[in-house]
């Protein structure tokens, strides 16, 4: 809780020009090739929707009701065949190297047809972002090499994120809450690595991923100062999978219980250890951990906003079609002004959701974790240099120098005010997009009446999928508090709530 005494004396309700024109300010800095690239990604997403998502959506949802333990292996393999699990991995690590910002446009397109399928693809990159922000290039290289091999061999290698615990939901999302929550995933330091014990719950793609990035604690009483992040591979001794949640929505994306019972994780698979990172930075462990978490949320929360915006779009499109095809008193519903007003509201909601996540992605691209990749020289270097050059550079990624360089850039050279901005607008995008998704579904059902309750008309499924969005990646209530903390109170900022150049 932010107390009155902690709030800056200067809090303004009137943002400055840089606040109002955030996306506009950074448009000239964007590599022009990214625009064509993003158009290409949107076209690719629509093709994937028509050939894969739309034909499979209702059928896969039906299968999950017939068999609650059903896993979407055919979908995972189909996405792998289309190259979707390496498409946004930088060419430096061997991927196709599409701009990471373009994945948000891709995810909105997929979510406009099926949010669950969008999540099956998006969660893999959530794991990749966490891996990337651990700054351990050795581990990144090892895991990504398996992902690349999985695409070539036809045996998909997905990465999942194991964060949530049975007794600690939102408590695990901020260092101050960690110390108050009931953390239970314990990493005991032993010679050569850690012994991991504990349980993670609601882990998206848990059962279908080969790697999971695990957030644990070396001191449960001081969780906010002792977070250790490590990679655990399917098949390692001590790792097992428990129940598969019988969810209301997004049923096609499995939510798994992941169990660690004296699971030994060697040092070479430790992604993030504050004690070891002190070799590369002088920041306190608590600050390092919060910065890492902020990087993570700045990438994931606008992604969830794209899901909500996609759901809002899908609900609008279904409702519009219904109103065009359905007559009321012998007149097409769409000819009534009151119907037109409701459809206009739905259309506007979807546009507002998109503006919210674009604002967040823009901030993250130029003031957050993506800023290095969006710099014009770096972008064009990664895009156009011959592939053989990156293969020659590959051994350098395993050196301590690479780890030091990445840690220095992301932990020491990033501005704290930028951190507040990026995490604040990410939270704002998250609750805006997801609330809008639910709202549009409710309006659609009002317009469609009983027809909206039929499974073959999509709306009831979209609503089930959208409702879950208000809960994960931090509940919408927690995200509202983060907006207040980061953009209104912002104790570390000289001008609270203002976006400064």
């Amino acid at each position: 809780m932010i107390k009155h005494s902690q709030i800056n004396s200067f809090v303004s309700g009137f943002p400055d020009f840089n606040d109002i024109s955030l996306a506009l300010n950074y448009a000239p800095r964007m590599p022009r090739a990214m625009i064509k690239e993003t158009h290409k990604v949107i076209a690719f997403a629509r093709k994937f929707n028509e050939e894969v998502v739309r034909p499979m959506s209702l059928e896969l949802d039906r299968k999950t009701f017939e068999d609650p333990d059903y896993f979407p292996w055919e979908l995972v393999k189909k996405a792998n065949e289309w190259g979707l699990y390496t498409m946004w991995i930088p060419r430096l690590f061997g991927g196709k190297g599409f701009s990471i910002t373009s994945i948000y446009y891709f995810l909105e397109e997929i979510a406009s047809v099926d949010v669950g399928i969008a999540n099956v693809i998006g969660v893999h990159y959530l794991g990749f972002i966490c891996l990337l922000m651990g700054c351990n290039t050795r581990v990144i290289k090892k895991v990504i090499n398996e992902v690349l091999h999985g695409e070539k061999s036809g045996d998909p290698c997905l990465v999942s994120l194991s964060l949530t615990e049975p007794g600690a939901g939102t408590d695990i999302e901020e260092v101050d809450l960690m110390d108050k929550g009931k953390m239970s995933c314990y990493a005991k330091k032993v010679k050569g690595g850690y012994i991991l014990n504990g349980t993670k719950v609601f882990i998206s793609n848990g059962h279908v991923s080969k790697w999971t990035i695990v957030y644990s604690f070396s001191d449960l009483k001081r969780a906010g100062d002792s977070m250790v992040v490590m990679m655990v591979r399917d098949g390692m001794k001590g790792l097992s999978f428990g129940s598969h949640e019988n969810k209301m929505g997004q049923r096609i994306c499995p939510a798994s219980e992941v169990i660690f019972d004296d699971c030994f994780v060697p040092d070479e698979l430790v992604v993030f250890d504050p004690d070891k990172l002190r070799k590369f930075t002088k920041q306190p462990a608590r600050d390092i951990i919060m910065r890492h978490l902020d990087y993570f949320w700045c990438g994931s929360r606008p992604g969830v906003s794209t899901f909500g915006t996609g759901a809002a779009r899908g609900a609008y499109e279904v409702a519009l079609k219904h109103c065009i095809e359905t007559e009321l008193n012998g007149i097409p519903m769409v000819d009534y002004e009151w119907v037109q007003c409701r459809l206009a509201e739905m259309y506007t909601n979807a546009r507002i959701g998109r503006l919210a996540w674009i604002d967040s992605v823009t901030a993250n691209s130029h003031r957050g974790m993506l800023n290095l990749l969006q710099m014009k020289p770096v972008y064009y270097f990664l895009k156009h240099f011959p592939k053989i050059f990156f293969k020659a550079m590959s051994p350098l990624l395993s050196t301590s120098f690479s780890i030091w360089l990445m840690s220095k850039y992301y932990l020491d050279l990033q501005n704290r005010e930028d951190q507040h901005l990026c995490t604040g607008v990410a939270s704002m995008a998250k609750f805006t997009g997801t609330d809008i998704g639910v709202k549009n579904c409710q309006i659609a059902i009002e317009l469609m009446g009983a027809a909206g309750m039929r499974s073959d008309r999509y709306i009831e499924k979209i609503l089930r999928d959208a409702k879950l969005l208000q809960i994960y990646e931090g509940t919408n209530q927690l995200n509202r508090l983060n907006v207040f903390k980061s953009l209104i109170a912002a104790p570390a900022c000289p001008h609270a709530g203002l976006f400064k150049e």
Side-chain angles (χ1 to χ4, degrees):
M1 177 183 294
I2 300 293
K3 297 180 181 179
H4 180 268
S5 59
Q6 296 174 290
I7 301 175
N8 268 330
S9 59
F10 181 76
V11 179
S12 172
F14 299 96
D16 68 2
F17 291 112
N18 294 323
D19 181 341
I20 294 171
S21 58
L22 179 63
L24 184 63
N25 285 338
Y26 291 103
R29 302 186 192 182
M30 180 186 297
R32 290 191 63 82
M34 278 180 56
I35 299 173
K36 292 182 179 179
E37 187 177 287
T38 301
H39 290 164
K40 184 177 179 180
V41 166
I42 293 171
F44 186 80
R46 290 177 178 176
K47 181 178 173 66
F48 186 71
N49 269 345
E50 293 309 309
E51 296 186 18
V52 179
V53 180
R54 206 175 296 277
M56 297 179 77
S57 178
L58 292 179
E59 175 65 15
L60 291 178
D61 191 57
R62 181 186 60 79
K63 285 183 178 181
T64 65
F65 281 104
E66 294 174 351
D67 178 11
D69 289 324
Y70 167 80
F71 295 114
W73 292 110
E74 65 264 48
L75 170 64
V76 171
K77 290 181 178 179
K78 185 66 70 174
N80 193 57
E81 290 170 10
W82 281 63
L84 295 179
Y85 294 123
T86 64
M87 193 166 177
W88 290 277
I89 291 174
R91 293 180 72 225
L92 178 64
F93 294 103
K96 297 180 180 64
F98 279 77
S99 166
I100 293 181
T101 59
S102 68
I103 194 175
Y104 295 94
Y105 293 86
F106 177 89
L107 292 174
E108 184 191 314
E109 291 295 325
I110 304 303
S112 69
V113 179
D114 194 304
V115 175
I117 291 178
N119 203 21
V120 169
I121 299 166
V123 162
H124 170 73
Y125 287 96
L126 179 62
F128 172 66
I129 285 175
C130 295
L131 180 58
L132 194 66
M133 289 301 99
C135 300
N136 190 327
T137 50
R138 288 195 193 103
V139 184
I140 297 170
K141 178 184 171 184
K142 178 180 178 61
V143 174
I144 295 307
N145 281 346
E146 286 202 28
V147 175
L148 297 170
H149 177 73
E151 181 176 293
K152 293 177 181 177
S153 66
D155 182 19
C157 179
L158 275 65
V159 181
S160 63
L161 169 68
S162 290
L163 180 66
T164 307
E165 299 188 6
T170 53
D171 290 334
I172 205 166
E173 300 188 6
E174 294 204 18
V175 289
D176 291 337
L177 296 177
M178 288 177 187
D179 293 338
K180 301 173 184 177
K182 296 180 179 179
M183 306 302 153
S184 60
C185 198
Y186 177 53
K188 180 182 179 182
K189 186 69 178 109
V190 295
K191 185 178 180 179
Y194 284 91
I195 298 292
L196 187 59
N197 282 283
T199 301
K200 296 291 186 177
V201 293
F202 309 128
I203 307 308
S204 297
N205 278 355
H207 278 81
V208 297
S209 295
K210 281 194 167 58
W211 286 95
T212 187
I213 183 165
V214 183
Y215 284 68
S216 59
F217 306 92
S218 58
D219 185 345
L220 297 178
K221 294 181 180 179
R222 296 174 50 255
D225 297 285
S226 66
M227 189 176 76
V228 181
V229 184
M230 57 191 75
M231 297 302 300
V232 180
R233 199 188 191 285
D234 185 23
M236 287 176 62
K237 185 178 179 181
L239 169 67
S240 62
F241 296 96
S243 63
H244 168 214
E245 295 293 335
N246 190 9
K247 299 185 292 182
M248 178 179 74
Q250 299 184 41
R251 296 175 60 85
I252 198 57
C253 183
S256 310
E257 181 183 33
V258 185
I259 303 167
F260 307 98
D261 184 8
D262 287 338
C263 180
F264 175 72
V265 182
D267 283 333
E268 56 262 30
L269 292 181
V270 175
V271 177
F272 180 95
D273 184 336
D275 291 334
K276 291 184 177 180
L277 279 174
R278 286 201 183 95
K279 297 178 184 177
F280 309 112
T281 178
K282 295 180 180 180
Q283 292 189 44
R286 198 174 191 84
D287 289 351
I288 296 173
I289 291 170
M290 194 64 243
R291 174 152 290 193
H292 174 81
L293 289 172
D294 276 339
Y295 279 139
F296 163 47
W297 298 127
C298 289
S300 68
R301 284 170 176 165
V304 178
S305 182
T306 69
F307 294 167
T309 302
R313 272 181 59 187
Y316 160 75
E317 290 165 1
V318 171
L320 176 63
K321 184 174 184 293
H322 173 85
C323 292
I324 291 172
E325 296 175 348
T326 304
E327 291 189 351
L328 191 62
N329 298 324
I331 301 172
M333 282 186 67
V334 76
D335 288 347
Y336 287 93
E337 287 186 350
W338 67 270
V339 173
Q340 294 170 5
C341 287
R342 297 300 268 165
L343 290 170
E345 182 180 354
M346 296 177 74
Y347 176 84
T348 302
N349 283 343
R351 294 291 293 256
I352 290 171
R354 185 178 304 114
L355 290 172
W357 68 253
I358 286 177
D359 209 36
S360 176
V361 171
T362 300
N364 207 20
S365 295
H366 300 283
R367 305 274 292 272
M369 70 170 187
L370 301 179
N371 60 2
L372 180 62
L373 295 174
Q374 307 310 313
M375 292 179 184
K376 289 181 181 179
V378 175
Y379 173 83
Y380 286 115
F381 167 74
L382 291 175
K383 187 174 181 63
H384 294 299
F385 260 64
K387 196 171 184 179
I388 191 171
F389 177 81
F390 295 113
K391 286 185 177 180
M393 284 186 62
S394 183
L396 295 175
L397 298 176
S398 298
T399 64
S400 296
F401 175 75
S402 292
I403 300 173
W404 173 84
L405 190 63
M406 195 168 180
S407 300
K408 193 71 177 174
Y409 184 81
Y410 282 110
L411 296 177
D412 279 350
L413 300 182
Q414 301 299 304
N415 188 292
R416 183 60 57 87
E417 189 175 344
D418 291 343
Q419 183 180 350
H420 282 289
L421 165 66
C422 292
T423 186
V425 293
S427 284
M428 188 163 56
K430 195 271 179 181
F431 70 71
T432 299
T434 57
D435 284 349
I436 278 171
V438 172
K439 179 64 175 176
N440 269 17
C441 290
Q442 293 169 338
I443 296 174
I445 290 175
E446 289 173 9
L447 289 171
M448 295 174 66
M453 294 292 100
R454 290 176 50 176
S455 60
D456 63 339
R457 301 301 290 273
Y458 273 101
I459 282 297
E460 65 87 24
K461 179 186 181 302
I462 299 174
L463 178 57
R464 286 190 283 111
D465 289 349
K467 193 63 183 172
L468 180 56
L469 299 173
Q470 295 177 310
I471 300 172
Y472 63 55
E473 301 311 287
T475 63
N476 282 2
Q477 291 83 354
L478 178 74
N479 277 281
R480 284 178 167 87
L481 289 173
N482 191 49
V483 167
F484 183 87
K485 181 187 79 171
S486 301
L487 300 181
I488 299 175
C493 296
H495 299 294
L498 301 185
F499 303 168
K500 303 298 289 181
E501 278 291 343

